[in-house]
Amino acid sequence: MPLFIAAIVLALSAIPCCLSIWPIPRSLDSGNQILKLSGLFDISINFTNPPQDLLDAVTRTKYSIQTDQLERLIVGRGLSDSTAFGSAKTLRTLMLALEQSASTAQPIATEAIVALDARDEGYSLSVPLDGSAGVVSANTTLGLLRGLSTFEQLWYTYDGTIYTNYAPLTIVNDSPAYAYRGFMLDTARNFFSVSDVKRTLDAMYLVKKDLLSLSGSPIRLSQINTFHWHITDSQSWPIQVVQFPELAQAGAYSTNQSYTPGDIQDVVTYAGERGIDVLVEIDTPGHTAIIGASHPEYVACYLSDWITFASEPPAGQLRLADASVTNFTAAVLAAVAETLPSTMFSTGGDELDTACYAADGPTQMMLNESGRTLFEALDIFTSATHGALHALGKTAVVWEEMVLEYNTTTLRNDTIVMVWISSDDAAAVVQRGYRIVHAPSNYFYLDCGAGDPIGNDPTGNSWCDPFKTWQESYTFNPLANISSAQVSLVLGGEQLLWTEQSGPENLDSIVWPRAASSAEVFWTGDTLPDGFDRVGNISEALPRLHDVRYRMVQRGIKAIRLQPEWCALRPQVCDG
């Protein structure tokens, strides 16, 4: 390279750049010196009998660091860094230290499903400049996993040398601001194979989501710890329930488009090994038209005019005033929930169409005979179905209408409420004393702006336009209109993909890297380590999100670009 060109490259690469970690730790002190990784680098564990899933995580981390081959996102892609390789020290060892007694070491999968208010994901990390051993310390194996995920993001490759330019680095007691950090995938409107679900789980883990790429190598993003699996809806019933085989036999799109009990356990195990809890949702009593394919007597307005009786086709919802339907639903929910380790289970409860019930003869007859109103019947239905879950030690999760529209009086105080219609509704839910998960359509719906699935709409616009950019979701304030006395009721939040117009083909691109934005919102909170407010600090976040996206692509994830590469290599030059 001519000397004058090399000088230009070196000058441009000196433009200040942000630390690549996503989400940014809540406590961070980093330098800007080069530290190389030894070709004999290894990760040791300072306690006996470590659980197998921690050993597997160590193996994945070493593999990812060696195979990522990501060049730093600066002009010259690391050329300026290489001038310091000759004098740089070399890191040979990272030690994992469990601060509690070794006899208390639990598998990561066990720690990942501990109740939200008791879950411990905190860790500390030190990477010295002098080449002495780095250390990740934590109280739990789940915390060690989070520390490994952060450590993995520090490394780049240039001309065969693996190195970091952030030495020395110290993170002290990094832990999430919010316990619930999720992603929801709807696998009922369109089917996603187990491999698609696993690939998504792997992406969640890169953020400290772990994401398995198409090539089979894991990626780490930024701390998404809950996979909300919206597994059934009016369009299909893909989950095979041993006690009720007729549901999937009649309700799956095909015999090849259903999840066996073994598939479910495979996903749950895979997620648990990556520190991810699986929250399954079977939406009731609405969004249940598909049950009519096997039990038409249980479903009101089954395949009636959907424009009159549903928000989208097909029409149909459970006859909630019928005791036999209530008993059936409770039994189905229990049959699924008893196979799942999570302490949470969602029964949905959104978008009940009251016009459907008003027009349904059997429902009106039962209401008249009992002297109950529709919502009084819903109270009984909820008490029975949630009671079946409570008997299994599960905490019920519902959508916001159960509290704000239906005034369901039989909800227990420990019920978790997902706020989806608008972020403005969060304050009203916590005012009633319920814990919430933020899932507002005006910030976190990934399908918005992608078009309308309704066939005769000449505009083709979605109901929740416009497109929800990563910048929009990143600016979300979890505590807006929440009083200091109510802060403890805010558990966290999630981004969601409803799949009317999505399938395996566009799963990666419609979700990533946008869904990483909320991972930082709910891990880091409102204040960045430098003291600046996170909310609105897009300029600081963008270079780090570029880094996440490029790492994903290195591992086969088809994440969309955020800017022209010219801008990605010149942090903040394109801010405007």
Side-chain angles (χ1 to χ4, degrees), residues 151-195:
F151 178 79
E152 185 176 315
Q153 294 183 65
L154 301 176
W155 305 95
Y156 299 99
T157 299
Y158 184 80
D159 196 24
T161 297
I162 300 174
Y163 72 99
T164 181
N165 62 312
Y166 303 128
L169 180 140
T170 302
I171 297 170
V172 179
N173 296 327
D174 187 28
S175 62
Y178 299 93
Y180 186 109
R181 306 174 308 282
F183 169 69
M184 191 219 75
L185 179 64
D186 161 22
T187 63
R189 288 176 173 85
N190 282 304
F191 182 78
F192 295 78
S193 69
V194 169
S195 62

Side-chain angles (χ1 to χ4, degrees), residues 378-430:
L378 177 61
D379 278 344
I380 295 172
F381 177 91
T382 302
S383 178
T385 54
H386 284 198
L389 298 176
H390 298 152
L392 295 170
K394 307 295 185 183
T395 297
V397 181
V398 299
W399 296 108
E400 65 174 82
E401 293 99 315
M402 295 289 285
V403 173
L404 297 184
E405 292 187 29
Y406 315 147
N407 297 310
T408 311
T409 62
T410 52
L411 290 177
R412 290 202 331 191
N413 290 338
D414 65 351
T415 302
I416 297 171
V417 180
M418 291 195 164
V419 177
W420 73 273
I421 295 174
S422 170
S423 57
D424 294 336
D425 295 340
V429 178
V430 298

Side-chain angles (χ1 to χ4, degrees), residues 329-342:
T329 306
V332 171
L333 295 179
V336 176
E338 68 183 4
T339 68
L340 301 168
S342 179

